[in-house]
Coordinates of all heavy atoms in Angstrom, one line a residue:
G1 N -164.8 121.9 62.7 CA -164.2 122.1 64.0 C -165.1 122.7 65.0 O -164.7 122.9 66.2
A2 N -166.3 123.0 64.7 CA -167.2 123.6 65.6 C -167.7 122.6 66.7 O -167.9 121.4 66.3 CB -168.5 124.2 64.9
G3 N -167.8 123.0 67.9 CA -168.2 122.1 68.9 C -167.6 122.4 70.2 O -167.2 123.6 70.5
V4 N -167.4 121.4 71.1 CA -167.0 121.7 72.5 C -165.5 121.8 72.6 O -165.0 122.2 73.7 CB -167.5 120.6 73.4 CG1 -169.0 120.6 73.4 CG2 -167.0 119.2 73.0
T5 N -164.7 121.5 71.6 CA -163.3 121.5 71.7 C -162.6 122.8 71.4 O -161.5 123.1 71.9 CB -162.6 120.4 70.8 OG1 -162.9 120.7 69.4 CG2 -163.2 119.0 71.1
G6 N -163.2 123.6 70.5 CA -162.6 124.9 70.1 C -161.7 124.7 69.0 O -161.2 125.7 68.4
F7 N -161.4 123.5 68.5 CA -160.5 123.3 67.4 C -161.1 123.8 66.1 O -162.2 123.5 65.8 CB -160.2 121.8 67.3 CG -159.4 121.4 66.1 CD1 -158.2 122.0 65.8 CD2 -159.8 120.4 65.3 CE1 -157.5 121.7 64.7 CE2 -159.1 120.0 64.1 CZ -157.9 120.6 63.9
Q8 N -160.3 124.5 65.3 CA -160.8 125.1 64.1 C -159.8 124.8 62.9 O -158.8 125.5 62.8 CB -161.0 126.6 64.2 CG -162.1 127.0 65.1 CD -163.5 126.8 64.4 OE1 -163.5 126.4 63.2 NE2 -164.6 127.0 65.1
P9 N -160.0 123.8 62.1 CA -159.0 123.5 61.0 C -159.0 124.6 60.0 O -158.0 124.6 59.2 CB -159.6 122.2 60.5 CG -161.0 122.1 60.9 CD -161.1 122.8 62.2
M10 N -160.0 125.5 59.9 CA -159.9 126.5 58.9 C -158.7 127.5 59.1 O -158.2 128.1 58.1 CB -161.2 127.4 58.9 CG -161.3 128.3 60.1 SD -162.8 129.5 59.9 CE -162.2 130.5 58.6
F11 N -158.2 127.6 60.3 CA -157.1 128.5 60.6 C -155.8 128.0 59.9 O -155.0 128.9 59.5 CB -156.8 128.5 62.1 CG -157.6 129.5 62.9 CD1 -159.0 129.2 63.1 CD2 -157.1 130.6 63.4 CE1 -159.8 130.1 63.8 CE2 -157.9 131.6 64.0 CZ -159.2 131.3 64.2
V12 N -155.7 126.7 59.6 CA -154.5 126.3 58.9 C -154.5 126.8 57.4 O -153.5 127.2 56.9 CB -154.5 124.7 58.9 CG1 -153.3 124.2 58.1 CG2 -154.4 124.2 60.3
I13 N -155.7 126.9 56.8 CA -155.8 127.4 55.5 C -155.5 128.9 55.5 O -154.8 129.4 54.6 CB -157.2 127.2 54.9 CG1 -157.5 125.7 54.9 CG2 -157.3 127.8 53.5 CD1 -156.6 124.8 54.0
L14 N -155.9 129.6 56.5 CA -155.6 131.0 56.5 C -154.1 131.3 56.7 O -153.6 132.2 56.1 CB -156.4 131.7 57.7 CG -157.9 131.5 57.8 CD1 -158.5 132.3 59.0 CD2 -158.5 131.9 56.5
I15 N -153.5 130.5 57.6 CA -152.1 130.7 57.8 C -151.3 130.3 56.6 O -150.4 131.0 56.2 CB -151.7 129.8 59.1 CG1 -152.3 130.4 60.3 CG2 -150.2 129.8 59.2 CD1 -152.2 129.5 61.6
L16 N -151.5 129.1 56.0 CA -150.7 128.7 54.9 C -151.0 129.5 53.6 O -150.1 129.8 52.8 CB -151.0 127.2 54.6 CG -150.7 126.3 55.7 CD1 -150.9 124.8 55.3 CD2 -149.2 126.4 56.2
G17 N -152.3 130.0 53.5 CA -152.6 130.8 52.3 C -151.9 132.2 52.4 O -151.4 132.7 51.5
G18 N -151.9 132.8 53.6 CA -151.3 134.0 53.9 C -149.8 133.9 53.7 O -149.1 134.8 53.1
R19 N -149.2 132.8 54.2 CA -147.8 132.6 54.1 C -147.3 132.4 52.6 O -146.3 133.0 52.2 CB -147.4 131.3 54.8 CG -145.9 130.9 54.7 CD -145.0 131.9 55.2 NE -143.6 131.5 55.1 CZ -142.6 132.3 55.4 NH1 -142.8 133.5 55.9 NH2 -141.4 131.9 55.3
A20 N -148.1 131.7 51.8 CA -147.7 131.4 50.4 C -148.0 132.6 49.5 O -147.2 132.8 48.5 CB -148.4 130.1 49.9
L21 N -149.0 133.4 49.8 CA -149.5 134.3 48.8 C -149.4 135.8 49.3 O -149.8 136.7 48.6 CB -150.9 134.0 48.4 CG -151.1 132.6 47.7 CD1 -152.5 132.3 47.5 CD2 -150.3 132.6 46.4
G22 N -148.8 136.0 50.5 CA -148.6 137.4 50.9 C -149.6 137.9 51.9 O -150.7 137.4 52.0
P23 N -149.2 139.0 52.6 CA -150.0 139.6 53.7 C -151.3 140.1 53.2 O -152.4 140.0 53.8 CB -149.1 140.6 54.3 CG -148.1 141.0 53.2 CD -147.9 139.7 52.5
G24 N -151.3 140.8 52.0 CA -152.6 141.4 51.5 C -153.6 140.3 51.1 O -154.8 140.4 51.5
F25 N -153.1 139.2 50.5 CA -154.0 138.1 50.2 C -154.4 137.4 51.5 O -155.6 137.0 51.7 CB -153.2 137.0 49.4 CG -154.0 135.9 48.9 CD1 -154.6 136.0 47.7 CD2 -154.2 134.8 49.7 CE1 -155.4 134.9 47.2 CE2 -155.0 133.7 49.2 CZ -155.6 133.8 48.0
G26 N -153.5 137.3 52.5 CA -153.9 136.6 53.8 C -155.0 137.4 54.5 O -155.9 136.8 55.1
F27 N -154.9 138.8 54.5 CA -155.9 139.6 55.1 C -157.2 139.4 54.5 O -158.3 139.2 55.1 CB -155.5 141.1 55.0 CG -156.3 142.0 55.9 CD1 -155.9 142.3 57.2 CD2 -157.4 142.6 55.4 CE1 -156.6 143.2 58.0 CE2 -158.2 143.5 56.1 CZ -157.8 143.8 57.4
S28 N -157.3 139.4 53.1 CA -158.5 139.3 52.4 C -159.1 137.9 52.6 O -160.3 137.7 52.7 CB -158.3 139.5 50.9 OG -157.8 140.8 50.7
L29 N -158.2 136.9 52.6 CA -158.6 135.5 52.8 C -159.3 135.3 54.1 O -160.3 134.6 54.2 CB -157.4 134.5 52.7 CG -157.7 133.1 52.9 CD1 -158.7 132.5 51.8 CD2 -156.4 132.3 52.8
G30 N -158.8 135.9 55.2 CA -159.4 135.8 56.5 C -160.8 136.4 56.5 O -161.7 135.8 57.1
M31 N -160.9 137.6 55.9 CA -162.2 138.2 55.9 C -163.3 137.4 55.1 O -164.4 137.2 55.6 CB -162.1 139.6 55.3 CG -161.5 140.7 56.3 SD -161.8 142.4 55.7 CE -161.0 142.4 54.2
V32 N -162.9 137.0 53.9 CA -163.9 136.3 53.1 C -164.2 135.0 53.6 O -165.4 134.5 53.6 CB -163.3 136.2 51.6 CG1 -164.2 135.4 50.7 CG2 -163.1 137.6 51.0
S33 N -163.2 134.3 54.1 CA -163.4 132.9 54.7 C -164.4 133.0 55.9 O -165.3 132.1 56.0 CB -162.1 132.3 55.1 OG -161.2 132.1 54.0
M34 N -164.2 133.9 56.8 CA -165.0 134.0 58.0 C -166.5 134.4 57.6 O -167.4 133.9 58.1 CB -164.5 135.0 59.0 CG -165.1 134.9 60.3 SD -165.0 133.3 61.2 CE -163.3 133.3 61.6
F35 N -166.6 135.3 56.6 CA -167.9 135.7 56.2 C -168.6 134.5 55.5 O -169.8 134.2 55.7 CB -167.8 136.9 55.2 CG -169.2 137.4 54.7 CD1 -170.0 138.1 55.6 CD2 -169.6 137.1 53.4 CE1 -171.2 138.5 55.1 CE2 -170.8 137.5 53.0 CZ -171.7 138.3 53.9
G36 N -167.9 133.8 54.6 CA -168.5 132.6 53.9 C -168.9 131.5 54.9 O -170.0 130.9 54.8
S37 N -168.1 131.3 55.9 CA -168.5 130.3 56.9 C -169.7 130.7 57.7 O -170.5 129.8 58.1 CB -167.3 130.0 57.8 OG -167.0 131.1 58.6

């Protein structure tokens, strides 16, 4: 999703992962995903 559009498909994984597995998991998922990317 990097480029001139600003579109970031990774956000969908963060949102759906946090939704399915809870807020604590979603918080950790966001941190680890952004660091890994």
Side-chain angles (χ1 to χ4, degrees):
V4 297
T5 63
F7 172 53
Q8 289 288 353
M10 74 171 292
F11 276 72
V12 176
I13 302 300
L14 305 185
I15 292 171
L16 299 182
R19 175 62 180 175
L21 298 173
F25 187 93
F27 191 91
S28 301
L29 178 61
M31 285 197 295
V32 176
S33 299
M34 191 60 73
F35 182 75
S37 68

